[in-house]
Amino acid sequence: MEPLPSVDGEPAKGMRSSTGCLTCRDRRVKCKEERPVCSHCARLSLACQWRGKHVPLKDRKEQKAKKRPPKPLMPKATAGMNAFVVAQAHLQLSSGVGKSLSDVEQGLFGYARGDGNVAASSFSFLDEGVMSPFSPLTWACPSPMMDMELASTGLLTNLPSLVTLTEAEHQALDYYQKETGFGFGSKTPAWSTHAILMRTASKSGAVLHLLLAATITEIGWREGGSIFGNAEGHYKLGRQLLNETMASPQSDPVEVMASFWFLYLVQRRRPAREQMSYKELSNLMCDYIRNHQLHDILSLAESEGDETHLVAVNQACSPDRRALLARLAVWLFWIDAQSCFQGEGGRMARLLAATPRGIHSLYEVSRDALQLHWASQYPDDELIDDLKNASALELLHHTWAMVQEINEEVESPPLDPERSRDIKKRLEALRRRYPISSVFRLSESTSRVRDRLMANSDWAVANYYALCIYHFRCSLTEDQGFFGGSDHIDEIAAVLLVLIQRSLSTDDIGQLDRLQWPLFWAGIETADQFKQTWILEKMSNQGLRDALEMILLEQSDGVRTNMGRVRRICQTTVGAQRLRLVLGRLEYA
């Protein structure tokens, strides 16, 4: 055996000591083992480093067992919840070694964490009988964001990448799967539209990164603005991948529309200075829908009685995918209608509402999205739940459709008197129409226990009253400019505020999000300062809150702010622009 090579001119003398300093061991020289600094390190002016105190294996295991797991972001699920398979199957570790989840899984579920261990599944409460109907999914996981470089060509070109998730990203997915109030929904998470979007994310890098960006941003916002994970990294990469997807002639419309939805969820919680404007988002959606003729594919209005067209539609998009696309389009329409009022969007909403029956036809297609997706696996109790809530959600949809209709009429308020009377008649007829009339009765219930049906009824009726106030403000005449007149709108505002207070008494943060638009209009028509303060405290939508503060300041002299001024205020409510609003108010006064 040849002698070891010399190190720094000194011949090696035998094998290195297993108990020497770490510095000598790294240099492959025999350590003299003098402490605290051995002679070799002292002579060469090296940092002499030693191992810590040796801890026996038995003691190390006991210490590890005593460590508590990370605090969960959501409470443990109950055993009675329905199931949804999120990510069972074949995660590949970041090393690219192709190690399947079955090599490390514990029980039915488990996520391979960044350290190669298995993280406890958020669905450990599910039994195998419930899970068996669902086919396993390949889970497209992002790389650990601490090490990710957005310029990494391999990551950008090969997504979806089957690599590991960080602990924060696991918690974000766990939160997304369990949170019933995320977005618009109050549906059982396992059988919701968001559960379907999770499946979409398992195959799409753009959707996955934007889903994580939205969820991580939501968690940070609810924790009081604290930073949680790398939402910005996911957001930037998701945007880039979405742009690449949209540029492809073979882009998947479900992937693109799902990405639009998560872009909205990100934007509603980001600081205003970091936001992509709703106008930009509206333009993106409108251009994509028009370029791919999705408004024709999704709507049945043009296909009634035309078998040739129906065949072409079914060939272009299966019924379940068309229903899912229609549902996403309807949700985004609602958002765009509100943004249009604020002067931030409207192109997409205008496009979808332009065809005969337009958005109402689209809504009809969207109603079966869940049942068509899950097919025979969709539980009977979930189908019953859909039927029970159908009237409340239909009322909600009609209110947003009429909001957009008024948006189109009030570029230069006030609203044409004849048009205003027509809208008022339709509003009154909508309230009397059965079974929507029953939704109003449910909203009037004083019960403190408000289940999903009652919560949705509260939401829909609150939106209806907000629409009434919006219509009134757009039709405002000079004799209605002062508070306390005989227009009865103050009665509507009082009923709306009582309804909101009753609905929010359940401390449902999801319901609070859903009632931001009605809160804004209740505040505009409320002269009582104590009630105004309560409303402002409940406003989590910063843009609407800032706008309401400025409007209340202008109305402090007892004169209603006209609709043109309200819209201008809503367009300028951030940062230094607030100073310009104050100066504008002085000029306006």
Side-chain angles (χ1 to χ4, degrees):
M1 181 177 178
E2 295 183 2
L4 295 172
S6 63
V7 180
D8 295 330
E10 181 181 23
K13 299 179 182 180
M15 301 298 290
R16 59 181 177 169
S17 169
S18 61
T19 56
C21 74
L22 297 178
T23 308
C24 288
R25 287 173 60 79
D26 288 342
R27 297 174 63 240
R28 301 187 65 83
V29 296
K30 187 173 182 180
C31 183
K32 299 294 186 179
E33 301 187 17
E34 301 96 338
R35 290 177 180 266
V37 180
C38 73
S39 56
H40 281 309
C41 292
R43 182 170 61 83
L44 298 174
S45 299
L46 299 175
C48 189
Q49 297 179 343
W50 295 83
R51 287 186 186 277
K53 181 180 178 181
H54 175 68
V55 180
L57 178 61
K58 179 181 178 182
D59 295 339
R60 292 202 301 272
K61 287 183 177 180
E62 291 179 355
Q63 291 176 5
K64 188 175 181 180
K66 291 179 181 179
K67 289 183 178 180
R68 294 182 177 180
K71 182 181 178 181
L73 295 172
M74 295 292 294
K76 291 183 179 180
T78 60
M81 287 182 64
N82 290 313
F84 167 57
V85 178
V86 187
Q88 187 217 359
H90 306 104
L91 286 176
Q92 200 172 33
L93 300 181
S94 57
S95 59
V97 175
K99 187 175 182 181
S100 70
L101 183 61
S102 59
D103 296 328
V104 290
E105 69 182 341
Q106 296 177 353
L108 274 176
F109 296 92
Y111 286 125
R113 291 196 313 228
D115 57 9
N117 296 323
V118 173
S121 165
S122 58
F123 291 101
S124 58
F125 58 88
L126 301 177
D127 58 65
E128 189 169 0
V130 176
M131 293 306 310
S132 58
F134 299 95
S135 59
L137 302 175
T138 300
W139 181 240
C141 302
S143 63
M145 298 306 293
M146 291 185 297
D147 303 325
M148 189 187 79
E149 295 182 2
L150 297 180
S152 171
T153 56
L155 183 60
L156 293 178
T157 57
N158 295 329
L159 276 176
S161 302
L162 300 182
V163 291
T164 55
L165 292 171
T166 65
E167 188 68 33
E169 291 155 357
H170 277 292
Q171 293 185 47
L173 290 176
D174 186 63
Y175 181 91
Y176 175 87
Q177 295 155 20
K178 294 178 179 178
E179 175 53 54
T180 58
F182 197 77
F184 280 154
S186 58
K187 182 78 172 170
T188 306
W191 300 102
S192 66
T193 306
H194 281 163
I196 303 175
L197 297 184
M198 178 70 96
R199 290 193 161 203
T200 305
S202 73
K203 302 173 184 178
S204 164
V207 178
L208 176 64
H209 282 289
L210 292 173
L211 182 156
L212 284 167
T215 311
I216 292 170
T217 301
E218 180 78 9
I219 294 171
W221 181 83
R222 294 198 180 187
E223 292 290 329
S226 59
I227 297 174
F228 181 85
N230 194 343
E232 188 64 21
H234 284 297
Y235 174 75
K236 289 181 178 179
L237 186 53
R239 284 288 310 274
Q240 183 168 346
L241 291 170
L242 175 58
N243 290 339
E244 294 174 4
T245 300
M246 293 175 64
S248 171
Q250 290 79 36
S251 64
D252 179 1
V254 170
E255 178 181 343
V256 174
M257 295 297 286
S259 297
F260 287 152
W261 174 246
F262 287 119
L263 272 176
Y264 158 70
L265 292 182
V266 173
Q267 295 308 125
R268 70 172 186 163
R269 299 304 194 205
R270 285 163 66 89
R273 64 181 180 277
E274 300 175 5
Q275 284 186 1
M276 165 191 184
S277 71
Y278 286 115
K279 182 177 181 180
E280 183 181 355
L281 179 57
S282 178
N283 290 342
L284 275 176
M285 295 187 295
C286 180
D287 290 342
Y288 183 82
I289 290 172
R290 178 182 284 120
N291 292 341
H292 292 78
Q293 298 182 324
L294 289 184
H295 50 310
D296 290 332
I297 294 174
L298 297 178
S299 175
L300 294 181
E302 302 296 332
S303 63
E304 294 175 357
D306 187 348
E307 292 296 329
T308 302
H309 184 78
L310 278 174
V311 171
V313 167
N314 288 327
Q315 288 176 344
C317 191
S318 62
D320 59 322
R321 283 170 57 81
R322 187 167 68 247
L324 175 59
L325 281 169
R327 172 158 292 194
L328 292 172
V330 166
W331 284 0
L332 292 166
F333 170 86
W334 295 350
I335 296 303
D336 206 36
Q338 178 178 325
S339 301
C340 181
F341 151 74
Q342 296 173 250
E344 282 291 317
R347 277 192 64 205
M348 183 259 202
R350 189 173 298 115
L351 174 67
L352 294 182
T355 56
R357 289 197 66 235
I359 192 63
H360 296 305
S361 175
L362 199 64
Y363 179 74
E364 291 299 319
V365 177
S366 74
R367 294 176 70 158
D368 294 332
L370 299 179
Q371 185 180 357
L372 286 173
H373 178 83
W374 302 111
S376 61
Q377 304 302 330
Y378 198 50
D380 291 345
D381 58 344
E382 293 297 328
L383 181 57
I384 292 171
D385 177 78
D386 291 343
L387 294 173
K388 286 168 57 179
N389 286 271
S391 298
L393 297 179
E394 182 181 354
L395 171 60
L396 183 73
H397 169 72
H398 276 282
T399 62
W400 284 119
M402 294 185 74
V403 165
Q404 180 57 25
E405 187 177 337
I406 296 175
N407 287 341
E408 295 297 317
E409 299 283 346
V410 291
E411 290 297 328
S412 300
L415 200 61
D416 176 75
E418 185 176 348
R419 189 80 176 102
S420 178
R421 285 191 293 270
D422 175 65
I423 292 174
K424 186 174 182 180
K425 287 180 181 179
R426 287 160 53 203
L427 279 170
E428 293 171 351
L430 183 62
R431 178 169 184 167
R432 293 193 301 267
R433 196 175 85 191
Y434 182 82
I436 287 178
S437 57
S438 300
V439 177
F440 282 87
R441 176 176 172 178
L442 279 178
S443 72
E444 295 167 0
S445 170
T446 58
S447 172
R448 295 184 61 85
V449 179
R450 309 191 80 77
D451 60 9
R452 169 171 147 81
L453 175 56
M454 295 186 72
N456 279 337
S457 298
D458 290 346
W459 180 23
V461 173
N463 256 42
Y464 175 89
Y465 288 138
L467 171 62
C468 291
I469 297 174
Y470 178 38
H471 168 252
F472 167 76
R473 283 288 177 128
C474 291
S475 307
L476 201 64
T477 59
E478 289 187 6
D479 61 323
Q480 295 171 319
F482 291 91
F483 285 96
S486 59
D487 44 52
H488 303 295
I489 201 68
D490 53 340
E491 297 176 11
I492 292 177
V495 172
L496 172 57
L497 188 55
V498 170
L499 170 59
I500 293 173
Q501 290 173 323
R502 187 166 54 236
S503 190
L504 294 184
S505 65
T506 59
D507 293 326
D508 180 357
I509 192 170
Q511 189 74 341
L512 179 61
D513 272 342
R514 290 184 282 270
L515 293 178
Q516 290 299 296
W517 172 259
L519 273 167
F520 175 79
W521 291 106
I524 277 184
E525 280 298 325
T526 299
D528 187 296
Q529 291 187 357
F530 291 102
K531 293 178 180 178
Q532 291 174 358
T533 300
W534 183 87
I535 290 171
L536 288 171
E537 288 175 351
K538 297 297 181 181
M539 295 287 290
S540 60
N541 183 312
Q542 191 61 43
L544 287 177
R545 187 184 192 279
D546 289 346
L548 179 57
E549 282 186 312
M550 296 305 302
I551 294 166
L552 292 179
L553 181 62
E554 290 195 352
Q555 293 184 162
S556 60
D557 58 358
V559 179
R560 290 185 171 101
T561 301
N562 68 52
M563 198 62 230
R565 178 64 177 166
V566 169
R567 298 186 79 173
R568 289 195 296 274
I569 288 175
C570 288
Q571 293 174 40
T572 48
T573 54
V574 180
Q577 293 176 339
R578 299 187 72 179
L579 176 59
R580 288 196 289 273
L581 266 174
V582 174
L583 296 176
R585 174 184 174 274
L586 295 177
E587 295 175 0
Y588 180 77

